Amino acid sequence: YADLRTPRAVVDDLMRREAWEDAARSLDALLRRAPLDLDAHMRADFVFARLGDDARQAHHRRFAEGLIRSIVERGDGRSLDAAWTVISTSEQYAVMMALGLEPTSQRLVHEDGHAFDVHEVSFAHDGSPAGAVHFNIDLPMAALARKLSARA
């Protein structure tokens, strides 16, 4: 479990400035540290499209699509019993974005020894309510607990 907030902030800044070559290098470095980072693959898809690098764009798009499938094929996300399991908090937001959903509120739920993030969402295209999506966050919570206990 790596803290990727700083590398993500660098990539965000480079993308805002449309510094595509630098963003590509930063994403390559980020993905060397966290090769299963869905958000980074989605950003790389976008950056390599801007650079006109069709092969690298396609690679990152296929990788991101595979990661998304691996999450959403295990349940429908509409209840705690059918919650999607994620390995990071950012993965939740990447999945919602890929599905055309925007979170409007979020709450943490503990039930039967598991932790869940429940997001009320709306459709990105028109803002209309779309219900709730449920994510099992046991893995990122366990990683956070290990990190905090190592500091103590």
Side-chain angles (χ1 to χ4, degrees):
Y1 181 77
D3 184 352
L4 301 175
R5 287 176 295 195
T6 301
R8 281 186 210 288
V10 169
V11 170
D12 287 346
D13 180 58
L14 293 168
M15 290 177 71
R16 267 191 299 281
R17 292 189 287 126
E18 298 184 10
W20 306 123
E21 291 286 346
D22 292 335
R25 280 191 289 280
S26 292
L27 283 163
D28 285 342
L30 192 155
L31 286 165
R32 278 193 297 278
R33 286 181 61 195
L36 297 178
D37 188 308
L38 173 56
D39 181 70
H41 282 286
M42 291 173 71
R43 291 168 192 255
D45 172 9
F46 183 84
V47 166
F48 288 111
R50 293 295 182 263
L51 290 170
D53 189 333
D54 295 340
R56 291 184 78 190
Q57 177 198 9
H59 164 76
H60 290 290
R61 176 163 293 197
R62 283 191 307 273
F63 208 101
E65 288 171 346
L67 290 171
I68 292 165
R69 269 193 312 278
S70 76
I71 295 166
V72 301
E73 286 180 349
R74 291 179 173 86
D76 62 14
R78 294 183 183 179
S79 68
L80 297 180
D81 290 334
W84 294 321
T85 299
V86 293
I87 63 172
S88 69
T89 301
S90 66
E91 205 168 59
Q92 297 175 63
Y93 293 92
V95 167
M96 288 185 282
M97 183 174 66
L99 296 175
L101 301 171
E102 291 183 347
T104 57
S105 67
Q106 180 266 335
R107 67 185 186 279
L108 176 63
V109 175
H110 291 277
E111 188 169 306
D112 295 329
H114 297 284
F116 301 91
D117 272 343
V118 180
H119 295 267
E120 295 297 324
V121 293
S122 61
F123 291 107
H125 70 279
D126 66 5
S128 64
V133 290
H134 302 73
F135 293 93
N136 178 309
I137 58 167
D138 287 344
L139 295 172
M141 291 292 279
L144 179 60
R146 283 191 304 275
K147 186 175 182 179
L148 292 174
S149 70
R151 288 185 180 172

